[in-house]
Amino acid sequence: MTSIMCGENVAKQLSLVPLSNDTVSRRIQAMSENVIQTLVERIKDSPYFSIQLDETTDVADLANLLVFVRYEYEKATHEDFLFCQSLQTRTTAEHIFQLVNALFQETGLDWKKCVGVCTDGARAMTGRHSGVVARIREVAPDVQWTHCSIHREALAVKRMPAELKAVLDTAVKAVNFIKSRPMHARLFHVLCDEMGSEHVQLLLHTEVRWLSRGKVLSRLFELHREVQVFLQDKSFPLSGVFDDTLWLSQLAYLSDIFSRMNELNLGLQGLSTSAFDGQDKISAMLKKLELFQIKIRTGDVSAFPNLETFLSDNDLRLADQVRDNIAEHLKSLRQQFAEYFLAIVQGNTWMRNPFVVKAYDVLEENLSALEQELLIELSCDETLKSTFRGQTLLDFWMQRRGEYPALSDKAVRFLIPFATTYLCEKGFSSLACIKNKYRSRLDAEPSLRLKLTAIDPDIANHCSKC
């Protein structure tokens, strides 16, 4: 590979370097240290930064804490991997805080510049008196805590009417009966192949996967005829439900509504997201749920394609019992979303688009008299308006620090906190690949850093010192 990319002379020189596992490990460690040094220098130069953190258990049963950071560098937003450390004993709030605090003290990072921390809603993270967030507020009084929007969405969809919950539980049992036994899975594969099905396997349900429920139900409904044949052949006690049109109607609805929840979940994920982005997605879902509720009351199932197709193919009408269960579930979803996302963004609408504010709008914002006048002045700047759409919101306000420092400062402090722990969840996937059963004792942080960082290590400088 070196011969092709760099030429024969370089390949010959490289072949003279003896490489061993220790040599490779030292190279990875050195490049990782180079990256963290660069990252720390950038964070120190940033006026503000925010962090997101989460912990998970790896293949060696060690609890790993992942922390990501969002900061300003060269008047633009950057997000990067800060560190990954194992929690050797307990995973209490104090242990987690001490691990993060030790890194800050070792690298000289200033807690007072930290204006945002994003976590899930676990008690260790959010406890009022001794949670991680409470401990961080002791050293960073102005820090803003954000409950991850993706976790909130997962919590909001958990509740459902008893009859629909029974349908879901039965569906999971049927899937597990096939998927948890290798021979059953192989036989079901052959059956689906013989019946000419597009898919030949069911998907296994797991509570800890965000998209699991929607995908499992969609696949089960798609293969419900094949599942019915297989379960009847195996004399499975619950096989009779696949002959029940009421049960299948509710299964079709669940596959549709949780597919919608999956779409929302994916919409909340991504890089450089802010509280406003989450607000848009949740507001749209609340209005959709209201629309679905109005439609279902009249028997209109066009919002649910699997249910509509099932009723049409079997020449059925929507049963009153099923309609009532669906309407109750949609109402419950709206209430849950409103409860978990009620205060997702309060005020500060001028940050989102300063070019549409009116004089009476400015009076309603929490701004000083001078800031109100500066906002009016900015709103009439046509040159800035032409560049507004071509930038992220946070980058736009970062670049206004020289002209409108007071407004820029307020906007950046509000927008720089993470809205989700998406990067941590993404990092856990990389950790699972790097630290597998063949490398369970590995110190994964150097490799994980090189995998996740957005900073290119200074390889030329590093090689010159070798």
Side-chain angles (χ1 to χ4, degrees):
M1 183 176 65
T2 306
S3 301
I4 296 172
M5 299 298 296
C6 304
E8 291 295 335
N9 292 334
V10 175
K12 289 178 181 178
Q13 292 177 12
L14 187 61
S15 67
L16 300 176
V17 180
L19 289 179
S20 65
N21 288 336
D22 289 341
T23 304
V24 173
S25 298
R26 286 197 297 270
R27 297 292 182 266
I28 292 175
Q29 180 68 36
M31 286 189 287
S32 174
E33 290 174 357
N34 174 262
V35 169
I36 187 63
Q37 288 172 3
T38 302
L39 176 61
V40 167
E41 289 172 2
R42 290 184 177 185
I43 297 173
K44 287 180 178 178
D45 291 338
S46 177
Y48 305 111
F49 65 88
S50 67
I51 59 173
Q52 62 171 269
L53 55 128
D54 203 352
E55 59 93 11
T56 190
T57 303
D58 62 23
V59 68
D61 291 330
L62 286 175
N64 291 276
L65 176 68
L66 260 66
V67 181
F68 281 78
V69 61
R70 178 184 284 174
Y71 61 97
E72 178 182 345
Y73 177 65
E74 295 182 344
K75 295 184 178 181
T77 312
H78 291 263
E79 298 173 344
D80 215 319
F81 172 74
L82 188 56
F83 81 103
C84 170
Q85 289 290 323
S86 297
L87 293 157
Q88 299 296 333
T89 54
R90 300 178 182 274
T91 58
T92 62
E94 186 62 26
H95 285 78
I96 292 173
F97 173 76
Q98 291 299 339
L99 205 58
V100 180
N101 190 51
L103 175 81
F104 274 53
Q105 291 180 342
E106 179 184 345
T107 57
L109 294 177
D110 187 359
W111 271 116
K112 292 181 180 178
K113 288 187 176 182
C114 181
V115 296
V117 55
C118 181
T119 70
D120 60 17
R123 182 174 297 178
M125 295 292 184
T126 62
R128 180 176 300 179
H129 301 293
S130 59
V132 174
V133 177
R135 294 288 283 112
I136 291 176
R137 281 182 173 145
E138 293 177 5
V139 291
D142 297 330
V143 76
Q144 171 187 330
W145 173 66
T146 306
H147 185 182
C148 171
S149 295
I150 301 174
H151 282 267
R152 277 189 278 179
E153 187 256 359
L155 292 172
V157 303
K158 280 194 170 184
R159 292 185 188 175
M160 62 179 67
E163 291 190 30
L164 290 179
K165 182 65 167 59
V167 171
L168 175 62
D169 291 342
T170 302
V172 171
K173 289 177 182 177
V175 171
N176 289 345
F177 177 76
I178 298 173
K179 289 293 292 181
S180 62
R181 297 168 174 81
M183 186 180 72
H184 286 181
R186 293 195 298 272
L187 293 174
F188 185 73
H189 183 289
V190 173
L191 174 65
C192 292
D193 197 42
E194 290 177 349
M195 294 181 69
S197 306
E198 181 179 354
H199 298 288
V200 294
Q201 287 292 355
L202 296 172
L203 301 176
L204 197 60
H205 177 261
T206 171
E207 282 289 344
V208 298
R209 300 287 183 182
W210 287 331
L211 308 181
S212 173
R213 189 176 299 176
K215 290 184 176 181
V216 167
L217 293 175
S218 294
R219 181 66 61 86
L220 176 62
F221 181 76
E222 182 181 340
L223 297 175
H224 71 270
R225 293 186 180 87
E226 291 84 345
V227 171
Q228 178 187 17
V229 172
F230 184 86
L231 295 182
Q232 287 176 344
D233 183 61
K234 295 296 180 182
S235 300
F236 184 63
L238 300 176
S239 61
V241 298
F242 288 89
D243 285 323
D244 186 348
T245 56
L246 291 180
W247 190 90
L248 287 172
S249 296
Q250 294 177 99
L251 176 65
Y253 161 73
L254 288 176
S255 69
D256 285 325
I257 194 64
F258 283 113
S259 292
R260 298 276 190 175
M261 296 301 110
N262 281 3
E263 293 173 7
L264 172 61
N265 192 293
L266 291 171
L268 294 171
Q269 298 178 35
L271 303 174
S272 301
T273 57
S274 69
F276 289 123
D277 298 317
Q279 182 189 39
D280 290 344
K281 301 295 182 181
I282 297 302
S283 297
M285 179 52 67
L286 283 170
K287 290 183 179 180
K288 286 181 181 180
L289 290 173
E290 184 178 9
L291 174 65
F292 299 162
Q293 197 174 354
I294 294 171
K295 283 186 171 184
I296 207 68
R297 285 172 182 161
T298 64
D300 183 356
V301 295
S302 58
F304 310 110
N306 283 340
L307 177 58
E308 184 178 36
T309 301
F310 175 75
L311 295 176
S312 176
D313 290 349
N314 294 277
D315 197 22
L316 299 171
R317 60 178 291 275
L318 185 66
D320 293 343
Q321 177 185 350
V322 177
R323 183 195 62 205
D324 293 343
N325 286 338
I326 294 175
E328 183 182 351
H329 186 226
L330 292 173
K331 179 181 178 181
S332 174
L333 282 175
R334 286 183 62 203
Q335 291 173 343
Q336 288 297 107
F337 273 103
E339 178 181 336
Y340 279 102
F341 292 94
L342 178 63
I344 187 169
V345 176
Q346 294 290 342
N348 296 317
T349 55
W350 60 270
M351 298 177 187
R352 184 154 210 189
N353 190 344
F355 300 101
V356 297
V357 297
K358 307 297 182 184
Y360 55 84
D361 295 327
V362 172
L363 292 173
E364 296 178 359
E365 300 291 349
N366 184 24
L367 298 171
S368 66
L370 177 59
E371 289 169 346
Q372 291 173 355
E373 293 180 23
L374 288 173
L375 181 57
I376 293 294
E377 182 181 329
L378 188 152
S379 68
C380 299
D381 192 325
E382 292 296 327
T383 302
L384 288 182
K385 187 176 181 179
S386 63
T387 64
F388 178 70
R389 294 296 181 186
Q391 300 174 297
T392 67
L393 197 57
L394 186 51
D395 287 348
F396 171 81
W397 283 111
M398 283 179 175
Q399 293 173 19
R400 305 285 80 77
R401 183 167 283 114
E403 305 161 271
Y404 304 97
L407 294 175
S408 173
D409 186 75
K410 281 198 171 184
V412 171
R413 288 173 66 94
F414 178 82
L415 293 169
I416 204 170
F418 287 99
T420 71
T421 57
Y422 165 74
L423 289 175
C424 285
E425 302 297 340
K426 184 180 175 183
F428 291 148
S429 298
S430 298
L431 179 63
C433 294
I434 293 172
K435 196 170 185 179
N436 52 48
K437 64 180 181 179
Y438 301 108
R439 310 170 74 192
S440 61
R441 296 181 181 275
L442 174 74
D443 177 12
E445 184 178 18
S447 299
L448 193 62
R449 183 177 305 284
L450 296 180
K451 168 70 175 177
L452 299 176
T453 186
I455 298 173
D456 294 327
D458 190 354
I459 297 176
N461 182 51
H462 170 69
C463 292
S464 68
K465 297 178 182 178
C466 296

